[in-house]
Amino acid sequence: MLSSSKRRLLTALLQARRWPFQPSRDMRLVQFQAPHLVGPHLGLESENGGGLINLNTFDPTLPKTMTEFLEQGETTLSVARRALAAQLPVLPRAEVTFLAPVTRPDKVVCVGMNYVDHCKEQNVPVPKEPIIFSKFGSSIVGPYDEIVLPPESQEVDWEVELAVVIGKTGKHIKATDAMAHVAGFTVAHDVSARDWQMGRNGKQWLLGKTFDTFCPLGPALVTKDSVADPHNLKICCRVNGEVVQSSSTKHMVFGIEALIAWVSRFVTLYPGDIILTGTPPGVGVFRKPPVFLKKGDEVQCEIEELGVIINKVV
C-alpha cells in the first residue's frame, strides 16, 4: 500500500507529464482500493490522470473484479457508459490505491522482438513469425507499485510495452475478426532479468521474465473505442527522468490483429487475458556498456492516450 504522501507525489508527477493531446471523457476502467472501502472495487478515471468514479457505488450489482466485468460483456460495459455520462462524485486520486487493471488473468502472453529497430539493436533478423513466450500472472503489480530486485539476478532491465486486454473468448480467431475480441489497452512494463533470460535456464526466457513484481500494469484499461489508432501511439520509457526508449507502435512487426490470430491458433483466449506486444529499442542490455536497474531507480512507462505507470526499484 502506498502512503498518502507517496500518492500525492505520484499525482503531481502524473499531472506534470502530459502528451500534447487533450484529456477526454473516454472509457478508462480501473481496479482500486480505498481506506473506506472493503476489498477491491471497479472504477472509471474521470480523465487521464484524473479522479475516480466508483462503479460499484453507481451499481452495486456490478462485479468487483475486471475479469468478471469483462466476462459479462456489453451488459456491464453499458452500465459503465451510463456512469461516465452521469455527473457522479469523483474520488480524489490521492485518496485511492490503484491496482493493476487486470489481476489473476488466465494467461499473460508476451511477444519477443516485435519492433524492427529492437531487432537491429541486437543484430538479429526480423522474425517471420511471432515469437511467443509468457509471464506468470503472479508477476503482475499495480501501476505505482514497487519493482523488487531479486537477489538471484544482477541484470534487471526495462521494457515498455503496449498491452492488449482480451474481452471475448475465442480460438482460431481470424485476423479480420480479432478486434471484436479486444476489450482495450493498457501500459505494461515487461521487467526482465537478462542473466536468466539469456544465459541461464537453458536460455528459455520464462524465468527471467516472471519474477514477482516483473509486470507492472496500468493505470487503466482504456477501451478500444476510446483509442484512435492503437498502431500509431507514442511509446516511451524514462529511467530517473532520462528517456531511454522513445518510439511509436506503428513500428511493430506484427500488428494486434495478426498477434491475436497467431496466438489463438494454439490456445483459447479468455476475457482478461493479456498480450504484451513487444518493446521498442533502447533497453539496457544492448547499451555499450550495458546498463541495468538498481535500487532507488524510478521507471516511468508511458503510452499516448493510455497514460503513465511509475514504479520505484527496491
Side-chain angles (χ1 to χ4, degrees):
M1 300 288 284
L2 291 173
S3 67
S4 59
S5 61
K6 287 183 179 179
R7 287 197 294 271
R8 291 189 187 97
L9 173 60
L10 291 171
T11 301
L13 283 168
L14 286 166
Q15 291 172 342
R17 296 286 187 182
R18 293 190 183 278
W19 292 100
F21 60 88
Q22 296 299 314
S24 69
R25 295 282 287 176
D26 291 334
M27 183 85 73
R28 305 178 58 85
L29 295 160
V30 301
Q31 292 188 135
F32 72 97
Q33 291 179 325
H36 65 285
L37 300 173
V38 177
H41 278 59
L42 288 179
L44 287 168
E45 278 191 303
S46 58
E47 61 182 28
N48 188 359
L52 297 189
I53 297 166
N54 188 338
L55 283 175
N56 296 117
T57 299
F58 177 74
D59 186 342
T61 68
L62 284 176
K64 292 186 176 181
T65 70
M66 191 70 73
T67 299
E68 293 174 301
F69 178 93
L70 295 175
E71 286 172 347
Q72 296 184 29
E74 183 57 34
T75 301
T76 46
L77 280 170
S78 63
V79 175
R81 289 192 197 98
R82 292 200 304 273
L84 191 62
Q87 297 298 316
L88 297 173
V90 174
L91 294 168
R93 196 176 186 90
E95 294 182 7
V96 303
T97 297
F98 280 71
L99 308 175
V102 179
T103 46
R104 302 185 182 278
D106 185 76
K107 63 186 71 70
V108 181
V109 179
C110 306
V111 184
M113 295 187 286
N114 198 36
Y115 281 73
V116 174
D117 287 349
H118 183 48
C119 296
K120 290 180 179 177
E121 75 173 343
Q122 52 188 304
N123 196 30
V124 296
V126 175
K128 297 186 183 303
E129 295 176 337
I131 297 173
I132 303 300
F133 61 100
S134 65
K135 296 169 91 80
F136 293 141
S138 55
S139 66
I140 293 174
V141 292
Y144 313 122
D145 289 342
E146 294 172 334
I147 296 167
V148 179
L149 294 176
E152 293 83 3
S153 175
Q154 305 303 313
E155 298 182 357
V156 177
D157 202 352
W158 58 82
E159 291 191 9
V160 60
E161 306 206 9
L162 170 68
V164 178
V165 181
I166 298 299
K168 178 183 174 184
T169 300
K171 180 77 183 290
H172 297 295
I173 301 166
K174 296 179 181 178
T176 52
D177 299 330
M179 290 306 292
H181 292 262
V182 172
F185 309 95
T186 193
V187 182
H189 185 180
D190 179 15
V191 186
S192 305
R194 301 301 187 191
D195 38 7
W196 283 91
Q197 177 190 358
M198 297 177 172
R200 305 284 300 273
N201 195 42
K203 298 186 178 180
Q204 295 288 320
W205 291 3
L206 175 66
L207 290 184
K209 292 285 190 172
T210 203
F211 283 98
D212 290 352
T213 75
F214 269 27
C215 191
L217 288 177
L221 191 171
V222 184
T223 56
K224 62 186 176 186
D225 56 339
S226 301
V227 178
D229 182 0
H231 295 104
N232 190 25
L233 300 174
K234 296 175 185 177
I235 182 169
C236 173
C237 177
R238 293 179 290 270
V239 178
N240 301 325
E242 176 188 353
V243 175
V244 291
Q245 293 181 279
S246 182
S247 188
S248 169
T249 57
K250 69 183 179 183
H251 298 305
M252 288 196 295
V253 178
F254 302 101
I256 293 162
E257 296 92 341
L259 292 173
I260 290 173
W262 179 260
V263 172
S264 70
R265 290 173 60 180
F266 306 95
V267 297
T268 301
L269 294 173
Y270 296 105
D273 282 354
I274 299 164
I275 301 176
L276 273 60
T277 58
T279 198
V283 297
V285 69
F286 298 122
R287 293 172 177 260
K288 301 186 186 308
V291 179
F292 298 110
L293 294 173
K294 61 186 183 302
K295 181 180 177 181
D297 285 346
E298 181 184 84
V299 186
Q300 299 181 13
C301 294
E302 186 167 10
I303 300 180
E304 183 179 10
E305 299 186 34
L306 305 185
V308 58
I309 60 177
I310 306 171
N311 305 99
K312 195 83 169 178
V313 180
V314 301

mmCIF file of all heavy atoms in Angstrom, residues 138-180:
data_model
loop_
_atom_site.group_PDB
_atom_site.id
_atom_site.type_symbol
_atom_site.label_atom_id
_atom_site.label_comp_id
_atom_site.label_asym_id
_atom_site.label_seq_id
_atom_site.Cartn_x
_atom_site.Cartn_y
_atom_site.Cartn_z
ATOM 1 N N SER A 138 1.351 -14.110 -11.446
ATOM 2 C CA SER A 138 1.863 -13.641 -10.155
ATOM 3 C C SER A 138 2.891 -12.538 -10.292
ATOM 4 O O SER A 138 3.266 -11.898 -9.309
ATOM 5 C CB SER A 138 2.471 -14.817 -9.381
ATOM 6 O OG SER A 138 3.462 -15.467 -10.158
ATOM 7 N N SER A 139 3.370 -12.269 -11.509
ATOM 8 C CA SER A 139 4.323 -11.174 -11.731
ATOM 9 C C SER A 139 3.639 -9.813 -11.817
ATOM 10 O O SER A 139 4.305 -8.775 -11.773
ATOM 11 C CB SER A 139 5.129 -11.421 -13.011
ATOM 12 O OG SER A 139 4.295 -11.370 -14.161
ATOM 13 N N ILE A 140 2.309 -9.792 -11.922
ATOM 14 C CA ILE A 140 1.568 -8.538 -12.121
ATOM 15 C C ILE A 140 1.500 -7.731 -10.825
ATOM 16 O O ILE A 140 1.182 -8.258 -9.761
ATOM 17 C CB ILE A 140 0.146 -8.832 -12.629
ATOM 18 C CG1 ILE A 140 0.204 -9.420 -14.047
ATOM 19 C CG2 ILE A 140 -0.710 -7.565 -12.622
ATOM 20 C CD1 ILE A 140 -1.145 -9.866 -14.572
ATOM 21 N N VAL A 141 1.799 -6.446 -10.932
ATOM 22 C CA VAL A 141 1.603 -5.491 -9.841
ATOM 23 C C VAL A 141 0.943 -4.239 -10.407
ATOM 24 O O VAL A 141 0.783 -4.092 -11.621
ATOM 25 C CB VAL A 141 2.924 -5.130 -9.125
ATOM 26 C CG1 VAL A 141 3.462 -6.325 -8.368
ATOM 27 C CG2 VAL A 141 3.954 -4.602 -10.111
ATOM 28 N N GLY A 142 0.581 -3.330 -9.508
ATOM 29 C CA GLY A 142 -0.138 -2.132 -9.910
ATOM 30 C C GLY A 142 0.749 -1.087 -10.565
ATOM 31 O O GLY A 142 1.980 -1.197 -10.587
ATOM 32 N N PRO A 143 0.113 -0.033 -11.081
ATOM 33 C CA PRO A 143 0.839 0.971 -11.868
ATOM 34 C C PRO A 143 1.832 1.809 -11.080
ATOM 35 O O PRO A 143 2.724 2.417 -11.671
ATOM 36 C CB PRO A 143 -0.285 1.842 -12.434
ATOM 37 C CG PRO A 143 -1.430 1.663 -11.491
ATOM 38 C CD PRO A 143 -1.334 0.248 -11.023
ATOM 39 N N TYR A 144 1.693 1.854 -9.737
ATOM 40 C CA TYR A 144 2.602 2.654 -8.918
ATOM 41 C C TYR A 144 3.276 1.812 -7.836
ATOM 42 O O TYR A 144 3.836 2.343 -6.885
ATOM 43 C CB TYR A 144 1.846 3.837 -8.295
ATOM 44 C CG TYR A 144 0.986 4.568 -9.292
ATOM 45 C CD1 TYR A 144 -0.391 4.706 -9.103
ATOM 46 C CD2 TYR A 144 1.530 5.100 -10.455
ATOM 47 C CE1 TYR A 144 -1.192 5.351 -10.035
ATOM 48 C CE2 TYR A 144 0.744 5.737 -11.395
ATOM 49 C CZ TYR A 144 -0.617 5.859 -11.184
ATOM 50 O OH TYR A 144 -1.398 6.490 -12.121
ATOM 51 N N ASP A 145 3.210 0.479 -7.990
ATOM 52 C CA ASP A 145 3.837 -0.413 -7.022
ATOM 53 C C ASP A 145 5.337 -0.495 -7.271
ATOM 54 O O ASP A 145 5.848 -0.106 -8.322
ATOM 55 C CB ASP A 145 3.218 -1.812 -7.106
ATOM 56 C CG ASP A 145 1.804 -1.855 -6.555
ATOM 57 O OD1 ASP A 145 1.434 -0.928 -5.818
ATOM 58 O OD2 ASP A 145 1.075 -2.820 -6.866
ATOM 59 N N GLU A 146 6.043 -1.056 -6.288
ATOM 60 C CA GLU A 146 7.495 -1.166 -6.394
ATOM 61 C C GLU A 146 7.902 -2.395 -7.203
ATOM 62 O O GLU A 146 7.239 -3.424 -7.182
ATOM 63 C CB GLU A 146 8.108 -1.247 -4.993
ATOM 64 C CG GLU A 146 7.912 0.041 -4.192
ATOM 65 C CD GLU A 146 8.335 -0.095 -2.739
ATOM 66 O OE1 GLU A 146 8.315 -1.241 -2.216
ATOM 67 O OE2 GLU A 146 8.690 0.936 -2.122
ATOM 68 N N ILE A 147 9.010 -2.256 -7.929
ATOM 69 C CA ILE A 147 9.670 -3.386 -8.584
ATOM 70 C C ILE A 147 10.753 -3.876 -7.627
ATOM 71 O O ILE A 147 11.626 -3.101 -7.222
ATOM 72 C CB ILE A 147 10.305 -2.965 -9.923
ATOM 73 C CG1 ILE A 147 9.224 -2.507 -10.912
ATOM 74 C CG2 ILE A 147 11.133 -4.105 -10.512
ATOM 75 C CD1 ILE A 147 9.783 -1.791 -12.120
ATOM 76 N N VAL A 148 10.680 -5.138 -7.259
ATOM 77 C CA VAL A 148 11.632 -5.701 -6.295
ATOM 78 C C VAL A 148 12.754 -6.411 -7.049
ATOM 79 O O VAL A 148 12.510 -7.359 -7.811
ATOM 80 C CB VAL A 148 10.930 -6.683 -5.345
ATOM 81 C CG1 VAL A 148 11.940 -7.285 -4.366
ATOM 82 C CG2 VAL A 148 9.800 -5.969 -4.590
ATOM 83 N N LEU A 149 13.982 -5.956 -6.837
ATOM 84 C CA LEU A 149 15.129 -6.616 -7.451
ATOM 85 C C LEU A 149 15.360 -7.965 -6.771
ATOM 86 O O LEU A 149 15.617 -8.020 -5.572
ATOM 87 C CB LEU A 149 16.384 -5.750 -7.303
ATOM 88 C CG LEU A 149 16.405 -4.421 -8.055
ATOM 89 C CD1 LEU A 149 17.671 -3.654 -7.721
ATOM 90 C CD2 LEU A 149 16.288 -4.638 -9.562
ATOM 91 N N PRO A 150 15.308 -9.068 -7.506
ATOM 92 C CA PRO A 150 15.518 -10.370 -6.873
ATOM 93 C C PRO A 150 17.005 -10.596 -6.607
ATOM 94 O O PRO A 150 17.849 -10.239 -7.433
ATOM 95 C CB PRO A 150 14.994 -11.354 -7.923
ATOM 96 C CG PRO A 150 15.152 -10.651 -9.225
ATOM 97 C CD PRO A 150 14.961 -9.188 -8.936
ATOM 98 N N PRO A 151 17.345 -11.191 -5.482
ATOM 99 C CA PRO A 151 18.765 -11.450 -5.194
ATOM 100 C C PRO A 151 19.399 -12.407 -6.188
ATOM 101 O O PRO A 151 20.620 -12.433 -6.331
ATOM 102 C CB PRO A 151 18.734 -12.044 -3.776
ATOM 103 C CG PRO A 151 17.342 -12.544 -3.583
ATOM 104 C CD PRO A 151 16.469 -11.638 -4.383
ATOM 105 N N GLU A 152 18.580 -13.162 -6.923
ATOM 106 C CA GLU A 152 19.107 -14.133 -7.890
ATOM 107 C C GLU A 152 19.630 -13.483 -9.163
ATOM 108 O O GLU A 152 20.290 -14.143 -9.974
ATOM 109 C CB GLU A 152 18.006 -15.142 -8.272
ATOM 110 C CG GLU A 152 17.566 -16.048 -7.149
ATOM 111 C CD GLU A 152 16.535 -15.424 -6.230
ATOM 112 O OE1 GLU A 152 16.106 -14.272 -6.497
ATOM 113 O OE2 GLU A 152 16.160 -16.076 -5.239
ATOM 114 N N SER A 153 19.313 -12.197 -9.394
ATOM 115 C CA SER A 153 19.706 -11.552 -10.650
ATOM 116 C C SER A 153 20.470 -10.262 -10.404
ATOM 117 O O SER A 153 20.134 -9.488 -9.506
ATOM 118 C CB SER A 153 18.454 -11.237 -11.492
ATOM 119 O OG SER A 153 18.810 -10.520 -12.654
ATOM 120 N N GLN A 154 21.470 -10.023 -11.248
ATOM 121 C CA GLN A 154 22.236 -8.781 -11.219
ATOM 122 C C GLN A 154 22.019 -7.965 -12.488
ATOM 123 O O GLN A 154 22.687 -6.962 -12.702
ATOM 124 C CB GLN A 154 23.738 -9.098 -11.073
ATOM 125 C CG GLN A 154 24.082 -9.969 -9.881
ATOM 126 C CD GLN A 154 23.621 -9.389 -8.564
ATOM 127 O OE1 GLN A 154 23.829 -8.202 -8.290
ATOM 128 N NE2 GLN A 154 22.964 -10.206 -7.739
ATOM 129 N N GLU A 155 21.081 -8.404 -13.338
ATOM 130 C CA GLU A 155 20.922 -7.763 -14.649
ATOM 131 C C GLU A 155 19.443 -7.532 -14.960
ATOM 132 O O GLU A 155 18.890 -8.061 -15.919
ATOM 133 C CB GLU A 155 21.570 -8.621 -15.745
ATOM 134 C CG GLU A 155 23.073 -8.796 -15.566
ATOM 135 C CD GLU A 155 23.713 -9.614 -16.681
ATOM 136 O OE1 GLU A 155 22.975 -10.095 -17.582
ATOM 137 O OE2 GLU A 155 24.943 -9.775 -16.658
ATOM 138 N N VAL A 156 18.787 -6.728 -14.140
ATOM 139 C CA VAL A 156 17.362 -6.442 -14.328
ATOM 140 C C VAL A 156 17.204 -5.222 -15.236
ATOM 141 O O VAL A 156 17.806 -4.171 -14.994
ATOM 142 C CB VAL A 156 16.662 -6.227 -12.974
ATOM 143 C CG1 VAL A 156 15.206 -5.851 -13.178
ATOM 144 C CG2 VAL A 156 16.759 -7.499 -12.124
ATOM 145 N N ASP A 157 16.380 -5.359 -16.261
ATOM 146 C CA ASP A 157 16.295 -4.392 -17.360
ATOM 147 C C ASP A 157 14.848 -3.921 -17.523
ATOM 148 O O ASP A 157 13.911 -4.511 -16.986
ATOM 149 C CB ASP A 157 16.761 -5.084 -18.639
ATOM 150 C CG ASP A 157 17.224 -4.124 -19.734
ATOM 151 O OD1 ASP A 157 17.047 -2.901 -19.586
ATOM 152 O OD2 ASP A 157 17.765 -4.630 -20.735
ATOM 153 N N TRP A 158 14.674 -2.862 -18.282
ATOM 154 C CA TRP A 158 13.365 -2.255 -18.526
ATOM 155 C C TRP A 158 12.857 -2.583 -19.931
ATOM 156 O O TRP A 158 13.629 -2.769 -20.866
ATOM 157 C CB TRP A 158 13.449 -0.731 -18.355
ATOM 158 C CG TRP A 158 14.468 -0.091 -19.276
ATOM 159 C CD1 TRP A 158 14.317 0.248 -20.595
ATOM 160 C CD2 TRP A 158 15.820 0.255 -18.944
ATOM 161 N NE1 TRP A 158 15.469 0.787 -21.112
ATOM 162 C CE2 TRP A 158 16.410 0.809 -20.121
ATOM 163 C CE3 TRP A 158 16.583 0.179 -17.786
ATOM 164 C CZ2 TRP A 158 17.732 1.263 -20.159
ATOM 165 C CZ3 TRP A 158 17.899 0.627 -17.822
ATOM 166 C CH2 TRP A 158 18.465 1.163 -18.990
ATOM 167 N N GLU A 159 11.533 -2.628 -20.096
ATOM 168 C CA GLU A 159 10.894 -2.773 -21.409
ATOM 169 C C GLU A 159 9.477 -2.202 -21.326
ATOM 170 O O GLU A 159 8.601 -2.816 -20.719
ATOM 171 C CB GLU A 159 10.803 -4.240 -21.851
ATOM 172 C CG GLU A 159 12.115 -4.914 -22.181
ATOM 173 C CD GLU A 159 11.922 -6.265 -22.867
ATOM 174 O OE1 GLU A 159 10.756 -6.586 -23.226
ATOM 175 O OE2 GLU A 159 12.913 -6.981 -23.042
ATOM 176 N N VAL A 160 9.226 -1.060 -21.942
ATOM 177 C CA VAL A 160 7.863 -0.536 -22.024
ATOM 178 C C VAL A 160 7.130 -1.261 -23.149
ATOM 179 O O VAL A 160 7.702 -1.542 -24.204
ATOM 180 C CB VAL A 160 7.866 0.990 -22.265
ATOM 181 C CG1 VAL A 160 8.558 1.372 -23.560
ATOM 182 C CG2 VAL A 160 6.445 1.537 -22.250
ATOM 183 N N GLU A 161 5.859 -1.590 -22.913
ATOM 184 C CA GLU A 161 5.093 -2.321 -23.925
ATOM 185 C C GLU A 161 3.618 -1.909 -23.918
ATOM 186 O O GLU A 161 3.046 -1.599 -22.869
ATOM 187 C CB GLU A 161 5.188 -3.840 -23.685
ATOM 188 C CG GLU A 161 6.627 -4.335 -23.600
ATOM 189 C CD GLU A 161 6.790 -5.791 -23.993
ATOM 190 O OE1 GLU A 161 5.827 -6.399 -24.505
ATOM 191 O OE2 GLU A 161 7.900 -6.319 -23.794
ATOM 192 N N LEU A 162 3.012 -1.958 -25.095
ATOM 193 C CA LEU A 162 1.565 -1.851 -25.224
ATOM 194 C C LEU A 162 0.952 -3.201 -24.897
ATOM 195 O O LEU A 162 1.350 -4.230 -25.462
ATOM 196 C CB LEU A 162 1.195 -1.455 -26.662
ATOM 197 C CG LEU A 162 -0.298 -1.524 -27.024
ATOM 198 C CD1 LEU A 162 -1.082 -0.446 -26.276
ATOM 199 C CD2 LEU A 162 -0.495 -1.395 -28.529
ATOM 200 N N ALA A 163 0.006 -3.216 -23.966
ATOM 201 C CA ALA A 163 -0.679 -4.457 -23.593
ATOM 202 C C ALA A 163 -2.107 -4.439 -24.128
ATOM 203 O O ALA A 163 -2.819 -3.439 -24.007
ATOM 204 C CB ALA A 163 -0.696 -4.626 -22.076
ATOM 205 N N VAL A 164 -2.490 -5.548 -24.716
ATOM 206 C CA VAL A 164 -3.854 -5.753 -25.210
ATOM 207 C C VAL A 164 -4.596 -6.608 -24.190
ATOM 208 O O VAL A 164 -4.073 -7.627 -23.734
ATOM 209 C CB VAL A 164 -3.839 -6.468 -26.575
ATOM 210 C CG1 VAL A 164 -5.266 -6.716 -27.069
ATOM 211 C CG2 VAL A 164 -3.048 -5.658 -27.593
ATOM 212 N N VAL A 165 -5.801 -6.196 -23.828
ATOM 213 C CA VAL A 165 -6.627 -6.973 -22.893
ATOM 214 C C VAL A 165 -7.782 -7.601 -23.673
ATOM 215 O O VAL A 165 -8.543 -6.894 -24.354
ATOM 216 C CB VAL A 165 -7.165 -6.101 -21.750
ATOM 217 C CG1 VAL A 165 -7.998 -6.946 -20.783
ATOM 218 C CG2 VAL A 165 -6.018 -5.415 -21.008
ATOM 219 N N ILE A 166 -7.891 -8.907 -23.570
ATOM 220 C CA ILE A 166 -8.945 -9.638 -24.284
ATOM 221 C C ILE A 166 -10.282 -9.461 -23.569
ATOM 222 O O ILE A 166 -10.349 -9.480 -22.335
ATOM 223 C CB ILE A 166 -8.576 -11.132 -24.391
ATOM 224 C CG1 ILE A 166 -7.289 -11.321 -25.191
ATOM 225 C CG2 ILE A 166 -9.720 -11.945 -25.003
ATOM 226 C CD1 ILE A 166 -7.371 -10.821 -26.624
ATOM 227 N N GLY A 167 -11.345 -9.295 -24.350
ATOM 228 C CA GLY A 167 -12.668 -9.102 -23.778
ATOM 229 C C GLY A 167 -13.671 -10.184 -24.142
ATOM 230 O O GLY A 167 -14.774 -10.223 -23.585
ATOM 231 N N LYS A 168 -13.292 -11.069 -25.069
ATOM 232 C CA LYS A 168 -14.246 -12.075 -25.562
ATOM 233 C C LYS A 168 -13.493 -13.369 -25.857
ATOM 234 O O LYS A 168 -12.436 -13.350 -26.499
ATOM 235 C CB LYS A 168 -14.930 -11.543 -26.833
ATOM 236 C CG LYS A 168 -15.909 -12.494 -27.494
ATOM 237 C CD LYS A 168 -16.445 -11.861 -28.775
ATOM 238 C CE LYS A 168 -17.327 -12.819 -29.565
ATOM 239 N NZ LYS A 168 -17.759 -12.221 -30.854
ATOM 240 N N THR A 169 -14.043 -14.478 -25.401
ATOM 241 C CA THR A 169 -13.411 -15.776 -25.604
ATOM 242 C C THR A 169 -13.308 -16.106 -27.093
ATOM 243 O O THR A 169 -14.226 -15.816 -27.870
ATOM 244 C CB THR A 169 -14.220 -16.877 -24.882
ATOM 245 O OG1 THR A 169 -14.252 -16.580 -23.485
ATOM 246 C CG2 THR A 169 -13.599 -18.245 -25.096
ATOM 247 N N GLY A 170 -12.183 -16.739 -27.456
ATOM 248 C CA GLY A 170 -12.043 -17.144 -28.853
ATOM 249 C C GLY A 170 -10.902 -18.105 -29.078
ATOM 250 O O GLY A 170 -9.908 -18.098 -28.366
ATOM 251 N N LYS A 171 -11.045 -18.938 -30.097
ATOM 252 C CA LYS A 171 -10.000 -19.861 -30.556
ATOM 253 C C LYS A 171 -10.028 -19.836 -32.079
ATOM 254 O O LYS A 171 -11.094 -19.708 -32.691
ATOM 255 C CB LYS A 171 -10.269 -21.281 -30.025
ATOM 256 C CG LYS A 171 -9.237 -22.327 -30.450
ATOM 257 C CD LYS A 171 -7.956 -22.208 -29.634
ATOM 258 C CE LYS A 171 -6.873 -23.197 -30.102
ATOM 259 N NZ LYS A 171 -7.194 -24.592 -29.791
ATOM 260 N N HIS A 172 -8.865 -19.944 -32.698
ATOM 261 C CA HIS A 172 -8.742 -19.870 -34.152
ATOM 262 C C HIS A 172 -9.442 -18.605 -34.681
ATOM 263 O O HIS A 172 -10.279 -18.669 -35.594
ATOM 264 C CB HIS A 172 -9.326 -21.122 -34.817
ATOM 265 C CG HIS A 172 -8.588 -22.380 -34.444
ATOM 266 N ND1 HIS A 172 -7.273 -22.607 -34.787
ATOM 267 C CD2 HIS A 172 -8.977 -23.476 -33.745
ATOM 268 C CE1 HIS A 172 -6.879 -23.780 -34.327
ATOM 269 N NE2 HIS A 172 -7.891 -24.331 -33.685
ATOM 270 N N ILE A 173 -9.089 -17.495 -34.096
ATOM 271 C CA ILE A 173 -9.707 -16.210 -34.455
ATOM 272 C C ILE A 173 -9.066 -15.695 -35.741
ATOM 273 O O ILE A 173 -7.830 -15.661 -35.864
ATOM 274 C CB ILE A 173 -9.518 -15.189 -33.319
ATOM 275 C CG1 ILE A 173 -10.149 -15.701 -32.023
ATOM 276 C CG2 ILE A 173 -10.100 -13.828 -33.698
ATOM 277 C CD1 ILE A 173 -9.727 -14.932 -30.788
ATOM 278 N N LYS A 174 -9.869 -15.297 -36.681
ATOM 279 C CA LYS A 174 -9.347 -14.696 -37.911
ATOM 280 C C LYS A 174 -8.857 -13.282 -37.621
ATOM 281 O O LYS A 174 -9.432 -12.580 -36.781
ATOM 282 C CB LYS A 174 -10.434 -14.648 -38.985
ATOM 283 C CG LYS A 174 -10.925 -16.018 -39.449
ATOM 284 C CD LYS A 174 -12.018 -15.860 -40.495
ATOM 285 C CE LYS A 174 -12.538 -17.218 -40.958
ATOM 286 N NZ LYS A 174 -13.645 -17.071 -41.954
ATOM 287 N N ALA A 175 -7.811 -12.874 -38.330
ATOM 288 C CA ALA A 175 -7.280 -11.523 -38.137
ATOM 289 C C ALA A 175 -8.357 -10.472 -38.378
ATOM 290 O O ALA A 175 -8.411 -9.449 -37.677
ATOM 291 C CB ALA A 175 -6.080 -11.299 -39.057
ATOM 292 N N THR A 176 -9.233 -10.716 -39.328
ATOM 293 C CA THR A 176 -10.293 -9.753 -39.639
ATOM 294 C C THR A 176 -11.322 -9.642 -38.514
ATOM 295 O O THR A 176 -12.057 -8.655 -38.435
ATOM 296 C CB THR A 176 -11.004 -10.140 -40.948
ATOM 297 O OG1 THR A 176 -11.408 -11.520 -40.860
ATOM 298 C CG2 THR A 176 -10.075 -9.961 -42.135
ATOM 299 N N ASP A 177 -11.377 -10.649 -37.645
ATOM 300 C CA ASP A 177 -12.331 -10.639 -36.536
ATOM 301 C C ASP A 177 -11.661 -10.322 -35.194
ATOM 302 O O ASP A 177 -12.336 -10.257 -34.158
ATOM 303 C CB ASP A 177 -13.021 -12.009 -36.411
ATOM 304 C CG ASP A 177 -13.807 -12.389 -37.653
ATOM 305 O OD1 ASP A 177 -14.304 -11.458 -38.332
ATOM 306 O OD2 ASP A 177 -13.899 -13.595 -37.953
ATOM 307 N N ALA A 178 -10.362 -10.120 -35.207
ATOM 308 C CA ALA A 178 -9.603 -10.078 -33.958
ATOM 309 C C ALA A 178 -10.010 -8.939 -33.040
ATOM 310 O O ALA A 178 -10.113 -9.119 -31.811
ATOM 311 C CB ALA A 178 -8.107 -9.997 -34.261
ATOM 312 N N MET A 179 -10.258 -7.755 -33.592
ATOM 313 C CA MET A 179 -10.557 -6.609 -32.730
ATOM 314 C C MET A 179 -11.885 -6.774 -32.002
ATOM 315 O O MET A 179 -12.097 -6.152 -30.963
ATOM 316 C CB MET A 179 -10.546 -5.314 -33.539
ATOM 317 C CG MET A 179 -9.161 -4.877 -34.008
ATOM 318 S SD MET A 179 -7.932 -4.723 -32.687
ATOM 319 C CE MET A 179 -8.568 -3.324 -31.796
ATOM 320 N N ALA A 180 -12.754 -7.632 -32.507
ATOM 321 C CA ALA A 180 -14.012 -7.913 -31.800
ATOM 322 C C ALA A 180 -13.756 -8.650 -30.494
ATOM 323 O O ALA A 180 -14.628 -8.695 -29.617
ATOM 324 C CB ALA A 180 -14.947 -8.725 -32.692
#
